[in-house]
Amino acid sequence: MLVEKYEHILVFDFETTGLYPKSDHVIEIGAVLLKRDPILMQYRAEQELSVLIRQDRPLPEKIIEITHITDDMLLRDGIEEKDAFDQLKSMIRPNTLLVAYNIAFDYGFLKALYRRHVDPFYEIEEDLLDVMAIYRDRHPFPHRLDNVVLTYQIDHKNTHRAIDDVKATLKGLTAMIKERDTIDKYINVIGYNPKYPPAAPLNKLVRMVPQYGNRLEIEKLK
C-alpha cells in the first residue's frame, strides 16, 4: 500500500509552450501535496500550488487554443520561472512520491527546471507513478485524462489547466485504488511504444516497459 511507503505524495502537472523540454518552457504549474496521517493511515491534502510563468516570447496559437492561457494572462498574473520552480521544489520533501498523468512528459520538464536552476547535471531520484499506466492496463484505447474523467464519472472539470488536471488525476487515482489496489506494481514503471524505444530511462530506478496493444500487462511483471 502506498500509505505505508511514502510520507508525502506530490501530484503535479505542467502546461508548456510545446513538447520538447530542451527548447520549450513551462507556462503553468499545478500541484497538490498530500501528507500521510500516521494515525488514520491515509493521505490528506497539505498544500496546493497554481501559478503562471511569464515568457519572453509570444505563445504559439495552438497552445492558447488548448489551454486558453494567453500572453496577456502571463504578463498580468505570471511570475518568474525560478520563483515558480522554487515554490514547486519546496513541496518535494524527503520520502515523496511524484505522481502525474503521462509522467514521462512532465518529468522531462521538471528535470529541465532542475538543471536550469539547481545543477546542469541534476538527476531526479524520487520514485515516480504514472497514473496513465494504471488506466491503460484497465481500459481500452483511448487513454487521455478526459477518458479517466468520463470512465470514473469524476465530478471535476478537465480544462487543460494545470491545477484542474492535477485534481482530476488525483480523483482518478483514488477511484482506481478503490477499484483494485495494485498501485504498488506501477511505481517506477513507464510504458513505451516498441517502435520508438527510449534512449534512456527517466532515472536509475525506472523500468521502461514495452507497451503492446495499448496495454502494459503490468500484472505479468515480477
Side-chain angles (χ1 to χ4, degrees):
M1 295 175 61
L2 291 181
V3 74
E4 297 173 348
K5 289 187 174 183
Y6 302 100
E7 186 70 19
H8 292 88
I9 294 176
L10 182 67
V11 187
F12 71 106
D13 182 75
F14 296 139
E15 300 300 333
T16 67
T17 60
L19 301 176
Y20 306 104
K22 290 185 178 180
S23 57
D24 292 308
H25 293 272
V26 177
I27 60 175
E28 185 177 42
I29 298 174
V32 171
L33 180 67
L34 308 174
K35 180 177 174 60
R36 183 180 63 191
D37 185 321
I39 297 176
L40 298 178
M41 291 299 287
Q42 62 186 26
Y43 291 97
R44 297 185 180 276
E46 181 181 71
Q47 187 178 348
E48 183 176 310
L49 176 65
S50 179
V51 62
L52 293 167
I53 299 175
R54 284 196 291 266
Q55 303 296 308
D56 59 5
R57 65 189 65 182
L59 294 175
E61 288 297 324
K62 188 64 176 178
I63 298 302
I64 296 173
E65 177 186 336
I66 292 172
T67 65
H68 303 293
I69 297 172
T70 65
D71 295 312
D72 287 342
M73 290 170 60
L74 297 185
L75 184 63
R76 181 182 67 245
D77 301 322
I79 64 175
E80 293 300 319
E81 181 182 86
K82 186 179 186 307
D83 294 336
F85 170 64
D86 285 345
Q87 291 184 52
L88 178 64
K89 183 162 63 72
S90 72
M91 298 171 75
I92 303 177
R93 315 283 174 75
N95 194 24
T96 294
L97 175 69
L98 301 182
V99 178
Y101 198 85
N102 188 17
I103 200 169
F105 175 84
D106 299 283
Y107 176 95
F109 281 92
L110 180 61
K111 184 164 74 170
L113 288 170
Y114 267 108
R115 291 190 169 188
R116 201 150 46 236
H117 299 293
V118 176
D119 180 340
F121 301 101
Y122 191 91
E123 293 293 341
I124 297 170
E125 297 185 349
E126 282 76 18
D127 285 346
L128 311 177
L129 176 64
D130 183 8
V131 179
M132 186 174 73
I134 308 168
Y135 186 77
R136 181 188 289 128
D137 257 13
R138 299 186 185 185
H139 301 280
F141 186 85
H143 300 125
R144 297 173 60 85
L145 184 56
D146 302 11
N147 304 114
V148 177
V149 170
L150 290 173
T151 298
Y152 292 100
Q153 299 182 331
I154 294 172
D155 183 21
H156 189 82
K157 58 185 178 182
N158 180 24
T159 62
H160 296 289
R161 293 295 300 272
I163 193 62
D164 290 331
D165 285 359
V166 163
K167 292 179 179 180
T169 296
L170 179 55
K171 289 183 178 182
L173 175 61
T174 301
M176 290 180 222
I177 291 173
K178 290 179 180 178
E179 177 183 63
R180 187 165 72 253
D181 191 359
T182 58
I183 306 305
D184 286 1
K185 295 178 179 289
Y186 295 85
I187 292 173
N188 292 325
V189 173
I190 305 295
Y192 68 90
N193 188 326
K195 293 182 179 180
Y196 309 102
L202 300 187
N203 68 35
K204 61 185 179 182
L205 300 174
V206 170
R207 297 176 65 184
M208 307 301 291
V209 180
Q211 169 194 337
Y212 294 101
N214 294 322
R215 294 180 64 84
L216 294 173
E217 298 182 347
I218 198 76
E219 301 291 349
K220 296 180 181 179
L221 293 178
K222 300 296 183 180

